[in-house]
Amino acid sequence: MRLAADAPTPDWNLLEAAFECADLELRSYYDTVTGEVCVTGPFEDDPGERERIDADPQRYLEIEHVASREQYRWMERFALEEVADELLRERLLRALTGRRVFRRFKDALLAAPPERERWFAYHSSALRRAIEQWFAERDLPVGTPPPWAGSPGDGPA
């Protein structure tokens, strides 16, 4: 991620929410001038926001939601690479087959609260890496690094 003194400081919290959003009716856009995240959809707070975005498409970059297949890979990697308990690992891998894998994966973790907390930390770290990668792929500078940059114990690389 490239830092530049004259670049905007992104709203990192809203970026995380935008990347993770599962509501297909909502669209999020990054304002390359202000660093704000604009959300459009059926219940917009600012009805003129969609028009502003359409009027200046170079300024506003759409933020794609993290694909469910990528989130599935995160769950699979977590189970295979991070879970030492063989029984739990097998339960998690079984949860990843069939329907409603996201719900079943989280349900399987309910019986192991420490592993469940580790999963949420792992997921958060993977999401943050996706955000950093998004900025890097677009060569978008930022005024300040994200608050999680360089945090100790911020999950796998």
Side-chain angles (χ1 to χ4, degrees):
M1 183 174 301
R2 185 166 58 94
L3 294 176
D6 60 342
T9 295
D11 185 327
W12 298 111
N13 290 329
L14 285 180
L15 276 166
E16 284 186 86
F19 272 77
E20 194 168 35
C21 181
D23 187 337
L24 299 177
E25 290 188 55
L26 298 179
R27 296 281 184 261
S28 299
Y29 298 85
Y30 176 70
D31 184 336
T32 60
V33 173
T34 67
E36 293 176 293
V37 174
C38 306
V39 180
T40 64
F43 304 106
E44 287 181 32
D45 290 337
D46 180 357
E49 195 152 60
R50 177 80 254 167
E51 287 77 18
R52 281 193 303 280
I53 292 167
D54 290 342
D56 197 351
Q58 298 301 320
R59 175 178 173 164
Y60 299 94
L61 303 178
E62 185 166 5
I63 300 167
E64 296 291 330
H65 307 156
V66 176
S68 58
R69 69 182 168 279
E70 181 62 21
Q71 292 190 50
Y72 175 91
R73 283 192 285 266
W74 295 348
M75 293 185 299
E76 187 175 48
R77 275 195 302 264
F78 176 78
L80 290 170
E81 299 170 8
E82 302 292 325
V83 177
D85 180 309
E86 287 185 41
L87 288 173
L88 178 59
R89 183 183 321 116
E90 289 305 316
R91 247 183 296 156
L92 292 172
L93 292 172
R94 271 195 312 275
L96 293 176
T97 61
R99 297 176 45 164
R100 299 176 39 99
V101 296
F102 294 96
R103 174 81 268 149
R104 291 186 4 201
F105 186 85
K106 289 178 184 172
D107 287 348
L109 285 167
L110 285 175
E115 289 297 319
R116 185 172 187 266
E117 290 305 312
R118 286 186 59 237
W119 159 247
F120 287 124
Y122 184 94
H123 178 271
S124 181
S125 179
L127 181 65
R128 290 168 173 179
R129 281 192 315 277
I131 293 168
E132 291 173 3
Q133 182 178 353
W134 187 82
F135 276 89
E137 287 172 352
R138 288 155 183 77
D139 194 31
L140 287 173
V142 296
T144 59
W148 61 79
S151 298
D154 193 25

